[in-house]
Amino acid sequence: MTRGAFRGKGPRLRDVLAVVGCLLFAAGQLSALQGRHSWWVVGFEIAVAVVSSGLLWWRRRAPVLITLVGVAAYVVAGQGAPMAVGLATTAVRRRDRVLVALTGLAYVAYAVRSAVVDGTGITGALSGIFLFGSVVAGGAYIGARRDLVASLRERAERAEAERELRVDQARLGERTRIAREMHDVLAHKVSLVALHAGALEVNPGVGPEQVERT
């Protein structure tokens, strides 16, 4: 009972961990900015971090939209954790052209900001390939594994349903066969009774004792 309840709350627990983890990551980034930027810049980045991290609570319902918000948060405030989590969630949910487009958009945003703001240049671009490749590959692996497990579970349930259907059909066939045999036996008995009755009717010389015995 407890294990089933925990399993049902597992996705929500992971959402909470994603939100809290992104907030802690943002707090670590913002703590390094103290004293180097004005208070309104720090306040703006705190607001962006809180909003983009809090929206991860709905990442399962709208992973593409949450990823786009994460990209925007990274471009304007350098908050990359929500973008990475949203991209990983999208990779779990879907593996198509939309994922490729989002991955390309996130990589371009990362490479441009690394070159313009951080000044890392080619190093940032190369690290972005490894970073986003790992995020997308990990999410795609989890999604493919879940799809495989769901497919195997559905196949097992279908096989179980077909087996039960065959058992029911076998039982119905056996009942039909027994009913047919009973009908044949009963018809035979009725025919014998009718035959004896007819013989007694056409033979008036038979006494009561013979009739009772018959």
Side-chain angles (χ1 to χ4, degrees):
M1 183 69 178
T2 304
R3 184 177 180 181
F6 178 77
R7 184 179 300 175
K9 297 179 181 179
R12 294 286 87 182
L13 179 60
R14 289 192 292 269
D15 292 338
V16 172
L17 292 177
V19 173
V20 174
C22 288
L23 288 176
L24 292 177
F25 185 82
Q29 284 185 315
L30 294 173
S31 63
L33 297 179
Q34 293 181 356
R36 295 189 299 172
H37 296 278
S38 60
W39 63 268
W40 68 268
V41 172
V42 176
F44 173 75
E45 294 192 356
I46 291 175
V48 171
V50 171
V51 172
S52 60
S53 299
L55 288 176
L56 291 176
W57 178 260
W58 294 277
R59 64 192 180 95
R60 301 177 188 276
R61 298 182 181 179
V64 176
L65 179 61
I66 297 303
T67 304
L68 292 175
V69 173
V71 173
Y74 179 75
V75 171
V76 300
Q79 300 297 326
M83 177 178 64
V85 174
L87 192 61
T89 304
T90 304
V92 171
R93 296 287 176 171
R94 55 193 304 170
R95 290 164 295 282
D96 52 9
R97 296 179 180 178
V98 175
L99 176 61
V100 175
L102 285 177
T103 304
L105 178 64
Y107 174 74
V108 169
Y110 180 84
V112 170
R113 183 176 176 86
S114 298
V116 175
V117 179
D118 301 333
T120 56
I122 190 64
T123 303
L126 294 177
S127 64
I129 295 176
F130 175 77
L131 174 64
F132 290 102
S134 301
V135 169
V136 174
Y141 172 77
I142 295 174
R145 184 176 179 84
R146 289 181 179 178
D147 293 343
L148 177 60
V149 172
S151 176
L152 294 176
R153 184 181 295 111
E154 181 181 359
R155 188 178 304 174
E157 292 176 353
R158 188 184 304 116
E160 181 66 18
E162 292 177 354
R163 186 187 68 82
E164 293 180 356
L165 179 60
R166 288 194 297 268
V167 171
D168 292 339
Q169 291 177 347
R171 290 175 180 173
L172 180 60
E174 184 66 16
R175 291 173 182 174
T176 303
R177 184 186 64 81
I178 294 174
R180 188 182 298 112
E181 291 180 356
M182 293 180 62
H183 177 271
D184 294 341
V185 172
L186 183 60
H188 178 67
K189 297 295 184 181
V190 171
S191 299
L192 290 179
V193 172
L195 180 62
H196 283 286
L200 293 175
E201 289 180 357
V202 301
N203 191 2
V206 177
E209 294 83 2
Q210 180 65 27
V211 173
E212 182 179 358
R213 186 167 60 250
T214 303

